[in-house]
Amino acid sequence: MITIPYLTALTTYFSYGLLFAFGQFRDFFRKIFDWWHASNLQGYAPICLGLEDFYIRRLYLRIQDCFGRPICSPPDAWFDVVERVSNDNNKTLKRTTNVSRCLNLGSYNYLGFAASDEYCTPRVIESLKKYSASTCSARVDGGTTSIHMELEECVANFVGKPASIVTGMGYVTNSAILPVLIGKGGLIISDSLNHNSIVNGARGSGATIRVFQHNTPSHLEKVLREHIAEGQPRTHRPWKKIIVIVEGIYSMEGELCQLPEIVAICKKYKVYVYLDEAHSIGAVGKTGRGVCELLGVDTADVDIMMGTFTKSFGSCGGYIAGSKELIEYLKYTCPAHLYATSISPPAAQQIISAIQVILGEDGSSRGAQKLARIRENSNFFRSELQKMGFEVLGDNDSPVMPIMLYNPAKIPAFSRECLKQNVAVVTVAFPATPLLLARARICISASHSREDLNKALEVISRVGDLIGIKYFPAEPQKQQLEENRVKLE
Ligand SMILES: *[C@@H]1O[C@H](CO)[C@@H](O)[C@H](O)[C@H]1NC(C)=O
Ligand SMILES: *[C@@H]1O[C@H](CO)[C@@H](O)[C@H](O)[C@H]1NC(C)=O
């Protein structure tokens, strides 16, 4: 639940209203212009949306320099951001040969494996030489190498499940596997803030989809009871199966899942739990095994464990871990296994090596140090931001921490001012968040030193004062203000 001050809500609506009115005004002239040139299409329908992409043209393009900034180095604690210039008010941006060295607060490089690593990199290079960059084949054809077999064993072992299947892309892991797991006559109960890959996978499955209030076990139970009692629409037959889908860490909120409560409810009603650990596997838990380890949930109680390798492991792809029976079934049916080219062998090797480091199998304690570091760094950074008066979402131990910006004008202001002072941040707004709730999303890494974090805090504090996003007074008397706020979902 996010609360937003009345005045902020008002000014934010006003800003969007202004942008909208101005955009409509310009579109009006464009329509006249288009009408004039209508013959240009020669009877074809416009292939792009014509006037429908209002949001992109009239809002997003105004600040597009804040998004998709090219970089030209590994996404380590510091990285090189390519400078761009524009001769047409940022409508088009041209890359220059200049770069600026910036502190990286945007990448999901939780454990610092995104950079060259003394243990992983030589092994990855070796696998590149031995197996080449691509298998040029799907897993069931010629695309299974011994690295792929080793990876699946290694991942199953790491997350604490009997077996696993890996795919070449994290997004596809959700969007291609859900339609195989469940279909017509099934019921998916999904957290309201689940990732787009889950939403699309669920829609593609043809199952009935119901949403429960974000991270609210009591509402989940209510929705479950109602739908179990009612059964399938019209026929009222019992559901073929029911899957509850939640995430370990919600990447736009920085929140940890209320997993113990949710698992208890799912057990009570005998429904399956699908846990997406894209942001939590490798990043939290004493030995990096994700939210189950952190929150003390037995992995035997989570039926389908999904995760990606694109964050903590510094690679690409995703996995599903579960019972032997489930994984075997997926290997016969999942399109990402049958038809998609298998994960690149060097990328697979990177994951294996990163897991070995995390588990200390490389013979050093670097893995344990990284895990301790990400936790300390995250908790330090979060508490300092809160002390300064920023509105920071999420829970302790989560390396993702959104800073609320709200007002659309503050999105580019925050991003540009930070970049000017060599701190690169990611800002997110509608449609990734609700319209009112634009935010900057900070991702902390184990590779950040305390000095880096202090620099970042200094810059963010300065910029925060400049653009007025310290919505709370610094440190004390926070409580009083909470009463004057509008409640939003
Ligand atoms: C274009 O982008 C730059 C930063 O990249 C910013 O300083 C400038 O204000 C922008 N111009 C317009 C017209 O939005
Ligand atoms: C690159 O940076 C230098 C020094 O800051 C500046 O003089 C030059 O104009 C920049 N080049 C471009 C293409 O922006």
Side-chain angles (χ1 to χ4, degrees), residues 97-133:
T97 48
N98 284 359
V99 297
S100 57
R101 189 89 184 141
C102 292
L103 182 61
N104 177 6
L105 294 182
S107 304
Y108 310 129
N109 175 28
Y110 298 136
L111 293 183
F113 284 115
S116 174
D117 183 90
E118 63 190 62
Y119 183 82
C120 303
T121 309
R123 283 164 179 77
V124 171
I125 293 171
E126 217 171 275
S127 74
L128 177 64
K129 285 185 186 150
K130 189 165 171 201
Y131 294 95
S132 97

Side-chain angles (χ1 to χ4, degrees), residues 22 225 300 335:
F22 195 64
R225 283 173 73 112

Side-chain angles (χ1 to χ4, degrees), residues 62 65 89-90 416:
R62 301 175 77 106
D65 61 294
N89 279 332
N90 297 350
R416 287 170 186 162

